[in-house]
Amino acid sequence: MKNFISSKMGFFTIAAIFIWLKSYIIYLYEFNLDIQNLLQHFLLLMNPISSTLVFLGIALFARGRRVGGFIIIIQLFMSLLLYANVVFYRFNSDFITLPVLTQTSNFGSLGSSILSLVTWTDIFYFLDIVILILLFRASRQVWSSKRMRFKQPILIMTAGVLVFSINLGLAEVDRPQLLKRTFDRNYIVKYLGAYNFTIYDALQNLKTSTERVLADSNDITEVQNYTDNKYIEPNDKLFGVAEGKNIIKIHLESFQSFLIDYKLHGEEVTPFINSLVHDQTNNFTYFENFFHQTEQGKTADAELIMDNSLYGLPQGAAFVTKGKNTYQALPAVLKQNQGYTSAVFHGDGKSFWNRDEIYKELGIDYFFDEAYYDMSEDQVIGYGLKDKPFFKESMPILESMEQPFYAHFMTLTHHHPYLIDEEDATIAPAETNDGSVDRYFQTARYLDESLEQFFTDLKEAGLYEDSIIMLYGDHYGISENHTRALSELFGEEVTPFKYAELQRVPFMIKIPEVKGKGTIDNYSGQVDVMPTLLHLLGIKAQDYIQFGTDLFSQKHNGLVAFRNGDFFTEDYAMVKGIFYDNHTGEELEPTEELENIKLKVEHELSLSDKVLQGDLLRFYSPTEKWEPVNAKDYFYDENQIIVSSFLKNKWLDDPETETNDEAENDYLDHSSTNGSINSKEDNVSKENDTDRK
């Protein structure tokens, strides 16, 4: 036995056992893979074997003592890949894909969030590396300097391929067409393992990268026919009712609907947002069964869906991987149809999620990033600028914009890991002993207070009454890994079905001179927002490729598709492949009706994927007058817009500005008829001159 341990094959065997056991333990305790039967448990135990034999088997081709060095390097690589998935899964309840790894520009802003997901016990996931190094140092002297006969590593790798074939065959018994119906990555990892998933993901990305090259104008026809058939006529009373009105869209970061009316320690967590929902004098309409439909792109997915009525991609974020695609997004549609000026306000770096590039493709005129804000230490926490100074410092810019405008405000403070300074916390944390969950309510209160102040400022600026105002949640804030804490908060077990119900996010809208409709219980999702807005402005949504339907239409389609293939309707739901009665929460046996809904969801998602993967909108012209967006016409820097000292002094009490009288005279002298100061054309000319140089 001692001689075997000291041999190359013994060292290989020990390394293989280590990585196999480590993978199995992580599958059980770190990933929520929903093991439902003995076969699935056996496959979970089996699936690390194939990739372990193949990857470590490569090292056996090395000469002499190098075998041990290569085994350690491969073992380390496999361990790092597995651990990266552990950390990623702790917040995202998902696995890393290659498109996610391309989003390296985001990593710098993720520091505090990643550190909060790392625990000291994680060092045990690398203990095997230490043992292997010590064992290698102790035994390498007795190893032969000769290369092993090729027959041995080839047999080992062949055994790995054979094990994978058996693994896949058994998986297909439990989950037919596993590799064809891959909306949910949890299934692939559960049946085939994390390493085989990475290989599968690489092959899938190689496949999709060729789709744009092979696509042609005929491919858009199937999509157009589908969206034409799905289109629903608008509500006659509301069509065009808000034409030419300003639009103010407020992004509630990580805000889930259960926060509305929730009381913690006897206090309302979000009293101001609650008042918008319940006080009819505010004229807001609240959609209580509105769901986010994001995937790995999270916030970026929400932006894409809301402004394009397309679904995000199954892997990665289209903002990054499809940043050069042709789009027919809401900002460009509004500009070409009704002369709107569009802007995004965001107190973070402009390159995060590739925004400084893809916003140009979406036709967004202005992007006011951290360069426009006071980013001093006391004003920043977590991902960027705190919400209260963010809204306050945005007011002089907003007043300077040419009207009508489409202004998108993206908040940040209510973002994982939900950090908050002591002086900003006005409600005590929850008491579940889960830090991010406990703080979640404190940052939600802070966001609520910042909104109340922003609404006051909009009224003072004269922008409130005459503007469409939308508030929406972008994605979940508390992942499925925190169901224990959620169960404690709600006083009931948070099952997979209950957690799916918690994917509701708020969507509420105020339309000028239109009485609010109170709370509407229609089932809806983020893809429905763009066609709704277009109809309110008197623009026919049918002209554009859109997968949503008008929220105010009496025939609104209430099927809500999730990116992983699950769905909700008024009566039914499918969560992780299981059908439920949406009224009782009871599991249902599959029926022809339910299977047809499932197939419809999969078909719709696949068509949306075709649009993005094949860049199909380059072949489609919605109207005769439509002009494709030219990204070269847009730029974002510190000189996009001139903000007068009068407005700065008005909102920020800036002591360095001129006196009020002097500043106001300067403001009136330079402002346009609608009170805006816009230097866009001058700056475009400057940029064109620079390009020519």
Side-chain angles (χ1 to χ4, degrees), residues 488 582 614 619 624 659:
E488 185 176 330
N582 202 18
F619 302 122
E624 292 183 1
T659 64

Side-chain angles (χ1 to χ4, degrees), residues 56 59 86 93 96 110 156 160 171 232 269 276 287 289 293 370 390 449 466 473 475 495 527 541 588 590 658 660-661:
L56 289 183
V86 167
S93 296
I96 295 175
L110 295 174
I156 288 172
I232 292 173
V269 176
L276 300 181
F287 294 84
N289 289 314
Q293 296 169 291
E370 64 183 8
F390 165 66
E449 293 170 347
D466 206 37
H475 55 75
T495 62
V527 291
L588 299 173
E658 307 167 60
N660 276 349
D661 290 341

Side-chain angles (χ1 to χ4, degrees), residues 424-443:
D424 293 325
T426 57
I427 190 172
E431 298 173 350
T432 68
N433 292 319
D434 185 324
S436 62
V437 173
D438 293 347
R439 295 188 299 270
Y440 183 77
F441 299 92
Q442 293 182 295
T443 51

Side-chain angles (χ1 to χ4, degrees), residues 164 204 209 211 262 320 330 432 449 485 530 535 563 571 584 609 672 692:
F164 174 77
Q204 285 294 99
S209 66
E211 289 184 7
Y262 189 89
V320 177
L330 190 59
T432 68
E449 293 170 347
M530 183 176 177
H535 285 170
R563 180 61 263 191
D571 298 316
T584 66
D609 288 345
S672 63
R692 285 193 290 272

Side-chain angles (χ1 to χ4, degrees), residues 585-622:
E586 295 179 358
E587 291 188 21
L588 299 173
E589 291 297 321
T591 64
E592 184 177 358
E593 179 185 6
L594 293 173
E595 290 290 350
N596 285 337
I597 297 174
K598 176 183 175 183
L599 291 174
K600 182 177 181 180
V601 167
E602 292 181 354
H603 182 56
E604 182 161 307
L605 292 171
S606 68
L607 290 178
S608 178
D609 288 345
K610 282 185 177 181
V611 173
L612 289 173
Q613 301 288 15
D615 190 13
L616 298 185
L617 293 181
R618 61 191 160 128
F619 302 122
Y620 180 71
S621 182

Side-chain angles (χ1 to χ4, degrees), residues 171-379:
E172 287 281 348
V173 171
D174 197 65
R175 174 76 174 177
Q177 296 181 307
L178 173 66
L179 298 181
K180 293 182 179 179
R181 299 184 296 164
T182 54
F183 290 111
D184 192 337
R185 283 172 287 280
N186 274 278
Y187 284 120
I188 303 295
V189 174
K190 177 167 68 173
Y191 288 108
L192 301 182
Y195 307 113
N196 290 327
F197 164 74
T198 300
I199 297 172
Y200 170 80
D201 177 58
L203 293 174
Q204 285 294 99
N205 279 278
L206 180 62
K207 174 187 173 184
T208 57
S209 66
T210 63
E211 289 184 7
R212 187 184 191 281
V213 178
L214 299 176
D216 60 38
S217 57
N218 294 323
D219 294 324
I220 195 66
T221 304
E222 180 186 9
V223 180
Q224 184 181 359
N225 290 338
Y226 180 85
T227 57
D228 281 346
N229 289 331
K230 188 177 180 181
Y231 174 77
I232 292 173
E233 290 293 329
N235 184 321
D236 290 337
K237 295 180 180 179
L238 294 178
F239 185 78
V241 71
E243 182 177 349
K245 301 295 184 183
N246 294 325
I247 304 169
I248 298 173
K249 182 171 70 170
I250 304 170
H251 169 112
L252 306 179
E253 174 64 44
S254 304
F255 196 103
Q256 293 176 247
S257 294
F258 73 79
L259 284 166
I260 294 174
D261 291 334
Y262 189 89
K263 288 188 176 181
L264 183 67
H265 312 306
E267 296 182 58
E268 289 181 288
V269 176
T270 57
F272 178 67
I273 294 177
N274 296 348
S275 72
L276 300 181
V277 172
H278 300 300
D279 184 353
Q280 297 302 307
T281 62
N282 288 308
N283 285 325
F284 272 86
T285 299
Y286 171 58
F287 294 84
E288 65 177 357
N289 289 314
F290 183 89
F291 290 82
H292 82 84
Q293 296 169 291
T294 67
E295 189 58 32
Q296 287 191 325
K298 296 298 185 292
T299 296
D301 276 1
E303 291 184 76
L304 175 87
I305 299 168
M306 298 275 288
D307 272 354
N308 293 272
S309 197
L310 298 171
Y311 295 95
L313 293 172
Q315 293 97 21
F319 262 37
V320 177
T321 61
K322 303 300 174 186
K324 294 298 183 182
N325 270 21
T326 297
Y327 294 94
Q328 293 163 6
L330 190 59
V333 173
L334 297 184
K335 183 174 187 175
Q336 293 195 29
N337 281 273
Q338 296 184 3
Y340 273 77
T341 301
S342 57
V344 175
F345 297 73
H346 190 40
D348 195 6
K350 63 182 180 180
S351 64
F352 199 84
W353 287 124
N354 193 41
R355 288 189 175 100
D356 57 336
E357 294 300 327
I358 194 168
Y359 280 174
K360 298 172 184 177
E361 307 292 346
L362 301 182
I364 294 172
D365 295 309
Y366 299 106
F367 179 23
F368 302 113
D369 66 300
E370 64 183 8
Y372 276 80
Y373 297 95
D374 176 6
M375 302 295 288
S376 55
E377 186 176 350
D378 62 328
Q379 296 222 123

